[in-house]
Amino acid sequence: MEDADEHVMREALRLADDAAALGEVPVGAVAVHEGAIVGRGSNRRETDRDPFAHAEMRALSEAARTLGRWRLSGVSLVVTLEPCSLCVGAALQARIDRIVYGAPSPKAGALGGLLDLNALPHNHRLVVRRGVLEEECAERLTRFFQGLRSQEG
């Protein structure tokens, strides 16, 4: 039986596919509060020419608008790729409860991949769940970057 995190991760994977269709790195993120989706985001940095248009940032911004508050306690963020330092920093500042991610990011991940911002002495800690639908999340990234390399080569 599929658990709730896996169910939401499937929506994040759909959003990652939307990003890939635009030529963006295929990352999708979904913010959940009390079992309801309150924010969605996919990467749009190239499309929007915006360095902050990460999937996670877009999902958190939409969650803040939906809930009418910046302090996002009670929110879980489900994302296909381990978040970078920008996105983990935003999650800590927003006081979300949890981050659930699929594929690790050894070159840029900020929850243990490259570094672990959650381990630093903050006034807030995230609960982290790793590896949810990891193979499906990683496969999209691998396929995307293989496609880029074949276009360049």
Side-chain angles (χ1 to χ4, degrees):
M1 186 167 123
E2 187 172 75
D3 72 16
D5 289 340
E6 289 177 0
H7 178 75
V8 175
M9 184 65 78
R10 294 210 183 278
E11 174 65 10
L13 284 163
R14 188 191 65 71
L15 292 163
D17 291 341
D18 291 348
L22 295 173
E24 300 278 354
V25 175
V27 178
V30 177
V32 178
H33 181 259
E34 296 179 352
I37 293 175
V38 294
R40 290 178 174 84
S42 58
N43 268 357
R44 290 186 54 97
R45 290 190 311 173
E46 300 296 332
T47 303
D48 294 350
R49 296 181 174 89
D50 181 352
F52 304 109
H54 293 215
E56 301 93 327
M57 299 292 284
R58 297 182 74 231
L60 290 173
S61 289
E62 186 175 301
R65 285 190 303 275
T66 299
L67 296 172
R69 55 188 166 96
W70 69 266
R71 189 180 305 267
L72 299 178
S73 55
V75 170
S76 292
L77 183 66
V78 179
V79 60
T80 57
L81 180 65
E82 178 185 353
C84 70
S85 56
L86 172 72
C87 297
V88 173
L92 286 164
Q93 291 298 314
R95 312 298 197 277
I96 72 168
D97 290 357
R98 303 171 64 230
I99 292 182
V100 176
Y101 70 83
S105 179
K107 293 183 180 178
L111 290 172
L114 176 65
L115 60 123
D116 189 354
L117 290 180
N118 201 38
L120 296 176
H122 296 283
N123 61 348
H124 181 71
R125 285 273 186 271
L126 300 163
V127 173
V128 179
R129 181 176 178 199
R130 298 165 171 82
V132 174
L133 301 181
E134 180 176 347
E135 288 180 20
E136 292 179 49
C137 295
E139 181 272 328
R140 280 165 171 79
L141 292 159
T142 299
R143 185 174 58 220
F144 176 81
F145 287 112
Q146 283 175 342
L148 282 183
R149 284 191 289 278
S150 70
Q151 289 174 3
E152 294 170 355

